Each structure stands twice: as structure tokens, then as C-alpha cells.
Amino acid sequence: MNRFLSHFALALLAACSPSATDSPAPPSPAPAKDEAPPLVPLGTLVGEYRVAGIDGAPLDAPFGLALSVTEDRIVFDAPCNGYAWTYRLEGAALRTARSSSPDPACLATARIHHLVFDLAAALDAVRSAGRDTSNAVVLSGGGRSVTLYSQ
């Protein structure tokens, strides 16, 4: 009986194996990288925002980062007196200019998480603004991006 089961198992296995005459399936093409849909232009940036991501990576920290935006100013209330930028939004085009930086003497003695500096550098580089399909505000440019959600 064991011999019968062994032969039966081998026959089933052989039936599942491709024959030598079967041609191999052509390799499937690599999926094309999906491009993000275009951003919807914003009427205004004014508001209070939670930073959800920097440079395409979700914010993963034991603390939050937030931005306050008025008609002409972006404020990041970071340690050592924080950062601020003046800005101009025309359609999707965004121009920023840093108007305030942390106190260097304070920075020399403070322990500050790198995300604070990453956010400031990304905001220095952004050149466009829009809303994505998740309703996030995305500021991008110069290979950098900041993803924001209203608070």
C-alpha cells in the first residue's frame, strides 16, 4: 500500500510540473511607477496646519510639528525662537523667503531633533503648493516637499 501511495504521489507531482515542451511564460514587465495625480491649486494657504510628512516620508516622531500661516507669513514655532518666512502664492506658484531664524547662541546649546531642521530646509526650497487627493496641502520644489493637514 505504501508503494502505491508513493507512486500515486509522484504521478500527481509530475502532472503539476511543466513538460519540457512547454515554453516558459514571458517575463511580466515591471509595473510602471505611478505618477501622482496633479495637485489642485489652492485659493489660500491661510490656516493652522499639522505637518504630516517631510520629503515624502510620514512624520514619525514622539512630538508634532505645526505651521501657522497668515496672508503673507508662514510661522514655525520651533525651539530657540523658531522660523518664519514671508511668502507669495499665485495659482500653484509659491515663493518663500526666510524672514526669521532661531537664535544661533541658543542653537549651540540646545538639543533639537533633526526634523526641525529638515522642515525648515524643505520650506526654504518649496516653489509650488496644491491639494492632493487625500485633501492634504502639499508644498514642494527643489526635490523637497512638506505635507500638511488642517488642524
Side-chain angles (χ1 to χ4, degrees):
M1 182 75 168
N2 276 343
R3 191 174 198 181
F4 174 75
L5 289 176
S6 296
H7 288 302
F8 182 70
L10 287 173
L12 285 175
L13 185 60
C16 294
S17 299
S19 70
T21 60
D22 288 344
S23 62
S28 58
K33 185 176 179 180
D34 292 337
E35 291 188 26
L39 299 176
V40 175
L42 301 169
T44 181
L45 270 178
V46 174
E48 300 292 322
Y49 297 95
R50 168 182 65 86
V51 178
I54 301 172
D55 296 335
L59 195 66
D60 183 22
F63 56 88
L65 299 175
L67 297 177
S68 295
V69 183
T70 64
E71 288 292 333
D72 60 355
R73 190 169 155 102
I74 299 170
V75 176
F76 174 33
D77 189 20
C80 300
N81 297 325
Y83 296 87
W85 294 261
T86 57
Y87 77 94
R88 185 167 188 172
L89 179 64
E90 294 176 349
L94 176 65
R95 286 187 227 122
T96 62
R98 193 182 292 190
S99 58
S100 178
S101 295
D103 175 40
C106 176
L107 287 177
T109 61
R111 292 184 57 183
I112 301 172
H113 197 279
H114 72 88
L115 288 173
V116 170
F117 303 109
D118 293 347
L119 176 58
L123 288 170
D124 285 336
V126 299
R127 297 292 173 255
S128 66
R131 195 169 296 279
D132 71 8
T133 57
S134 74
N135 207 30
V137 171
V138 179
L139 310 178
S140 60
R144 309 296 306 263
S145 68
V146 179
T147 304
L148 307 169
Y149 283 102
S150 296
Q151 290 195 27

